[in-house]
């Protein structure tokens, strides 16, 4: 088998050979069957410019054929595909359009790293493909990455670029963290001050919150509703679902800075609160009032109009209770609703919007704290503090997305020593991520089926631009993608050496895509951040 065939990432389920390789040239036609027009458009827009091949419509000898074959779904699920290179040409069949698209991504990998560029870099007139048959399908239906654009804003073009990078790795969910204490990034027409005020902070802490350093430049930005429609449409063409996160009732100082009545006005002077300029868990949380509920219902009405995703993430985590304990209004709400305590008040917030979303055909997703105090049956839990929340949720009949911080938080450092830029958290190497297992062994078959997928989370407190985000995300996202897509052995039995060999070819793809990844030997000089304080945690992360 050729190098191109053996360095596929993520690893396909089955690979075999045929007796005939194929050569693509200027005469190679693209035969798009019913329902595959968008995949054909994507191929002509990506592989076409990279190779210089026009890929005109047609059915001639050696054509590239795209076809939906529903029977594949019965065998392998709705995202399954079969890619064949033989004497008839190239055939990409999928159980659905999504399956055809994932097969087209594999076809692109088979062409070699130069197929990932935006224009030809050689005068090649022909592109060779090995004689191969690949049968493939994903392990999980939720294969995601969280991109935090609230702490540091990523301009629209950067988000579109990350959608392409996710799709290239057969990941299909972009969890877009749009609001937090440090910024509100989504235009809401009913409440313009959310972006006029809430999208901008006066300065930014450099490094961990204990750092003495500040970037004194104002920071901010937001997406207009037209931007969001463009992002969603772009992602839909690439079979990536954009799941919005609007954080409540904690992580809300940016919203309170814009509309002080949302905060606990009977405890603090909320009118004096700015958009927060540092990191950590913020004490300023939403007031449990009817006005707050009505405000966020109106916000979410606009969110639902922009994001067709079935799932809407409402955070629900890290909500300090001090202000509620001191607030007569909050205590009156606890009494009126018959709640046990302030923890019950946090659950009251979440349950209200759980019901509100369900009544509109959507499903709430929240961090695992939403389990505390009870949860409606339709809610989905993102297990971030470890595996325990996901285990409890699965046993209680809830769907689960496994994203434990100790394993797949990509803001955590990639090596020990002093060279890692702004070192945060545990050391999580490429091999560590490759050996991540989303389904805990203690779950029974029915409980394990509740784990609908997994997600790697990229928080951006200390990653102020695209290059820093790239450094933290890559190459580990490639390892994560394989754990989410491929059916791998138990973690200890995984062929990490083989994965590293395949990564040699994959680094060339990342180079062609312009990804500023962490090199295997360590950071380049310009990737380091000497003197900027981090918060490394020593030792192996606990399995909790």
């Amino acid at each position: 088998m050729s190098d191109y065939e053996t360095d596929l990432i993520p690893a396909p389920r089955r690979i075999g050979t045929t007796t005939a390789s194929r050569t693509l040239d200027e005469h190679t036609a693209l035969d798009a069957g019913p329902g595959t027009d968008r995949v054909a458009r994507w191929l002509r827009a990506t592989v076409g410019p990279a190779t210089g091949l026009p890929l005109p419509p047609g059915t001639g000898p050696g054509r590239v054929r795209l076809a939906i074959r529903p029977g594949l779904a019965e065998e392998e699920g709705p995202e399954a595909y079969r890619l064949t290179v033989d004497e008839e040409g190239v055939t990409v069949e999928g159980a659905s359009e999504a399956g055809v698209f994932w097969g087209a991504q594999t076809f692109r990998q088979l062409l070699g790293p130069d197929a990932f560029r935006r224009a030809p870099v050689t005068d090649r007139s022909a592109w060779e493909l090995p004689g191969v048959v690949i049968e493939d399908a994903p392990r999980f239906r939720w294969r995601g990455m969280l991109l935090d654009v609230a702490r540091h804003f990523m301009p629209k073009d950067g988000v579109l670029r990350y959608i392409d990078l996710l799709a290239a790795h057969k990941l299909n969910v972009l969890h877009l963290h749009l609001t937090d204490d440090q910024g509100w990034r989504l235009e809401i027409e009913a409440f313009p001050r959310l972006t006029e005020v809430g999208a901008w902070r006066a300065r930014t802490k450099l490094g961990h919150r204990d750092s003495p350093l500040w970037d004194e430049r104002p920071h901010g930005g937001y997406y207009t509703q037209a931007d969001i429609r463009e992002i969603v449409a772009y992602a839909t063409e690439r079979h990536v679902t954009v799941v919005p996160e609007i954080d409540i009732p904690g992580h809300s100082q940016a919203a309170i800075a814009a509309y002080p009545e949302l905060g606990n006005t009977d405890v603090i002077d909320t009118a004096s609160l700015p958009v927060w300029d540092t990191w950590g868990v913020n004490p300023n949380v939403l007031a449990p009032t009817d006005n707050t509920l009505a405000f966020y219902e109106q916000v979410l009405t606009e969110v639902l109009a922009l994001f067709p995703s079935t799932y809407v993430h409402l955070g629900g985590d890290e909500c300090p209770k001090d202000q509620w304990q001191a607030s007569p209004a909050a205590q009156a709400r606890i009494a009126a609703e018959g709640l046990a305590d302030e923890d019950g008040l946090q659950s009251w917030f979440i349950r209200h919007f759980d019901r509100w979303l369900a009544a509109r055909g959507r499903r709430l997703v929240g961090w695992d704290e939403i389990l505390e105090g009870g949860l409606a049956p339709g809610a989905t839990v993102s297990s971030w503090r470890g595996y325990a929340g996901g285990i409890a949720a699965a046993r209680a009949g809830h769907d689960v997305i496994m994203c434990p911080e100790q394993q797949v938080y990509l803001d955590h450092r990639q090596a020990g020593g002093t060279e890692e830029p702004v070192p945060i958290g545990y050391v999580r190497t490429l091999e560590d991520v490759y050996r991540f297992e989303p389904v805990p062994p203690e779950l029974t078959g029915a409980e394990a089926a509740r784990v609908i997928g997994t997600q790697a989370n990229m928080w951006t407190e200390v990653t102020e631009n695209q290059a820093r985000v790239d450094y933290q995300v890559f190459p580990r996202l490639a390892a994560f993608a394989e754990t989410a897509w491929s059916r791998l052995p138990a973690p200890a039995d995984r062929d990490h050496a083989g994965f590293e060999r395949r990564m040699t070819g994959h680094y060339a793809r990342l180079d062609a895509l312009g990804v500023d990844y962490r090199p295997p030997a360590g950071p380049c000089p310009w990737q380091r951040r000497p003197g900027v304080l981090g918060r490394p945690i020593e030792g192996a992360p606990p399995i909790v």
Side-chain angles (χ1 to χ4, degrees):
M1 293 185 182
S2 71
D3 289 342
Y4 293 164
E5 182 181 337
T6 57
D7 68 8
L8 297 175
I9 289 179
R13 193 166 294 187
R14 287 180 290 275
I15 303 179
T17 58
T18 66
T19 57
S21 60
R22 297 301 306 179
T23 298
L24 308 185
D25 58 27
E26 62 182 358
H27 303 294
T28 301
L30 183 56
D31 179 10
T36 68
D37 289 344
R38 292 195 301 184
V39 182
R41 181 164 61 243
W42 176 84
L43 275 171
R44 289 193 180 101
T46 53
V47 173
T51 60
L53 303 180
L55 299 175
T59 58
R63 84 288 178 272
V64 177
R65 181 171 178 267
L66 308 177
I68 293 176
R69 203 184 111 195
L72 287 174
E74 299 174 9
E75 304 166 23
E76 301 282 11
E79 294 181 273
Y81 72 87
R82 178 177 296 157
L83 189 156
T84 306
V85 181
D86 58 17
E87 59 277 356
E88 294 184 6
V90 180
T91 302
V92 182
E93 299 173 301
S96 63
E97 185 190 38
V100 177
F101 182 73
W102 304 130
Q105 291 284 2
T106 300
F107 165 72
R108 188 189 191 189
Q109 288 196 19
L110 288 174
L111 287 169
D114 284 346
F116 287 78
R117 298 190 179 275
R118 296 189 182 186
V121 296
T122 69
D123 58 359
R124 293 167 62 182
S125 59
W127 294 72
E128 295 182 5
L129 287 167
V132 66
V133 57
I134 297 172
E135 296 174 310
D136 201 9
R139 179 184 180 190
F140 293 108
R141 60 186 173 92
W142 183 298
R143 306 180 300 280
M145 177 184 137
L146 176 144
L147 181 60
D148 172 21
V149 297
R151 272 55 174 270
H152 277 99
F153 179 65
M154 179 176 284
K156 179 191 68 178
D157 286 353
V159 176
L160 299 178
R161 174 178 177 267
Y162 258 86
I163 290 168
D164 280 327
L165 291 171
L166 294 185
H169 291 82
K170 297 186 174 72
L171 298 173
N172 67 346
V173 175
L174 173 61
H175 175 168
L176 206 53
H177 182 72
L178 289 162
T179 74
D180 216 294
D181 301 300
Q182 298 86 1
W184 183 287
R185 307 295 177 213
L186 175 63
E187 178 189 28
I188 299 296
E189 292 177 350
F191 303 113
R193 286 177 59 83
L194 285 172
T195 47
E196 291 171 358
V197 174
W200 309 94
R201 61 177 180 262
R203 63 176 186 168
T204 299
K205 173 66 70 173
L206 274 180
H208 184 257
R209 60 180 173 269
D210 292 334
S211 166
L213 303 177
W214 294 88
D215 182 343
E216 297 291 348
R217 296 173 298 176
H219 176 84
Y222 66 92
Y223 309 109
T224 67
Q225 295 203 358
D227 291 336
I228 291 297
R229 292 187 186 96
E230 180 184 357
I231 288 168
V232 168
Y234 192 87
T236 300
E237 288 255 333
R238 288 149 182 81
H239 296 276
V240 173
T241 299
V242 183
V243 175
E245 180 176 354
I246 305 295
D247 231 329
I248 60 168
H251 290 285
S252 297
Q253 184 161 321
I256 297 168
Y259 292 92
E261 65 271 22
L262 296 174
N264 294 283
T265 57
D266 56 348
V267 176
I268 63 165
D269 176 16
T270 57
S272 67
L273 291 177
V275 176
W276 211 26
D277 57 12
T278 190
W279 319 120
V281 178
N282 188 301
N284 297 302
V285 302
L286 296 175
T289 64
D290 291 342
N291 174 69
T292 300
L293 297 183
F295 183 97
Y296 276 88
E297 286 176 2
Q298 199 158 354
V299 167
L300 289 171
T301 296
E302 294 193 30
V303 168
L304 298 192
L306 293 169
F307 295 92
S309 166
T310 300
Y311 296 91
V312 176
H313 207 294
L314 292 186
D317 65 318
E318 295 183 327
C319 180
K321 310 301 189 300
D322 300 30
Q323 290 183 1
W324 290 347
Q325 289 169 354
S327 165
Q331 294 302 311
R333 176 67 77 177
I334 289 172
E337 299 293 337
L339 304 174
D341 53 22
E342 291 78 18
D343 288 336
L345 192 57
Q346 182 174 347
S347 295
W348 170 83
F349 259 106
I350 297 302
R351 287 198 306 271
H352 174 88
F353 288 103
D354 190 0
R355 293 189 297 268
W356 189 91
L357 288 169
R360 289 153 181 81
R362 306 296 183 97
R363 295 182 63 178
L364 181 143
V365 191
W367 303 112
D368 52 58
E369 287 97 326
I370 67 174
L371 285 165
E372 300 162 6
L375 196 58
T380 298
V381 173
S382 298
S383 189
W384 77 274
R385 291 180 294 180
Y387 288 101
I391 292 169
R395 288 175 173 167
H398 295 287
D399 285 349
V400 174
I401 301 152
M402 280 294 183
C403 50
E405 64 170 328
Q406 303 87 351
Q407 313 300 324
V408 288
Y409 267 35
L410 299 182
D411 52 312
H412 284 203
R413 59 194 172 129
Q414 303 188 59
T418 60
E419 294 187 343
E420 289 301 306
V422 199
I424 299 294
Y426 295 101
V427 171
R428 292 287 84 195
T429 65
L430 183 67
E431 180 174 358
D432 292 330
V433 176
Y434 186 66
R435 297 192 189 279
F436 164 62
E437 172 50 48
V439 180
E442 54 264 53
L443 292 181
T444 67
E447 293 166 351
R450 285 289 187 180
V451 180
I452 64 171
T454 183
Q455 183 169 288
N457 294 343
M458 181 60 223
W459 302 100
T460 61
E461 287 93 336
V462 300
T463 51
E464 69 279 5
N465 55 38
Q466 179 175 284
R468 282 286 292 119
V469 173
D470 278 5
Y471 179 92
Q472 293 299 132
V473 170
F474 290 100
R476 292 183 295 181
L477 192 72
F480 172 78
E482 191 149 310
T483 70
W485 177 278
S486 307
R487 294 185 180 271
L488 299 175
D493 299 328
R494 292 178 188 173
D495 182 10
H496 178 253
F499 174 75
E500 283 192 315
R501 284 193 299 272
R502 286 184 286 124
M503 278 302 298
T504 300
H506 199 65
Y507 285 121
R509 297 186 194 113
L510 297 178
D511 287 333
L513 288 165
V515 176
D516 199 9
Y517 58 85
R518 181 189 189 275
C524 299
W526 58 86
Q527 293 174 319
R528 298 170 188 157
R529 293 292 184 277
V532 181
L533 182 69
R535 184 177 174 268
I537 304 175
E538 301 302 334
I543 306 298
V544 293

